[in-house]
Amino acid sequence: MRDHRLRPSTVQLDAIPEPKLPVVDPHEIEHLDSESLLDAGLAQVRPLERQLLWLAHAEGFSYREISGITGIGIARIRITLFRARHKLARAVRQQMLLSGVRK
């Protein structure tokens, strides 16, 4: 009983609110600014990846803190964030190419 109370409580990722991302019309893509490019890129990653990216980069939590919040192991968080960053970068680059935005 004592150990159960001392163990940090975890939160299901479904309980963490996910930011609402705007739907990007491909015909209006040439008018995108950097925030819209990021939103369009975030729409390309899975919800778990989006939530972990948000916790790590927007909220500034460490892997250990994210693990405590979500109950996901640190190794899985590292791998998922690595893949999510690469997927996000690829999606943003692709949006930039489609919109004709220069680096």
Side-chain angles (χ1 to χ4, degrees):
M1 179 79 154
R2 180 172 175 257
D3 289 340
H4 178 71
R5 281 193 334 209
L6 294 178
R7 186 174 24 167
S9 62
T10 59
V11 177
Q12 293 294 325
L13 281 178
D14 297 339
I16 299 171
E18 186 174 335
K20 300 294 180 202
L21 299 174
V23 176
V24 178
D25 182 356
H27 301 296
E28 297 177 6
I29 202 158
E30 64 271 359
H31 304 293
L32 294 178
D33 58 5
S34 60
E35 186 176 326
S36 297
L37 284 169
L38 182 60
D39 288 344
L42 284 170
Q44 301 296 315
V45 298
R46 296 181 330 202
L48 172 64
E49 294 168 333
R50 247 191 323 270
Q51 290 168 332
L52 292 179
L53 284 166
W54 181 264
L55 290 171
H57 297 290
E59 299 293 334
F61 290 121
S62 68
Y63 294 154
R64 178 167 284 149
E65 291 169 324
I66 294 170
S67 178
I69 292 168
T70 63
I72 298 172
I74 292 174
R76 181 171 175 215
I77 290 170
R78 264 195 195 122
I79 291 168
T80 303
L81 279 172
F82 175 83
R83 291 176 181 162
R85 286 184 199 108
H86 284 275
K87 192 184 295 186
L88 178 60
R90 187 172 43 251
V92 168
R93 276 194 305 272
Q94 187 176 34
Q95 294 294 335
M96 289 173 65
L97 287 173
L98 289 173
S99 66
V101 175
R102 301 282 177 187
K103 291 182 183 180

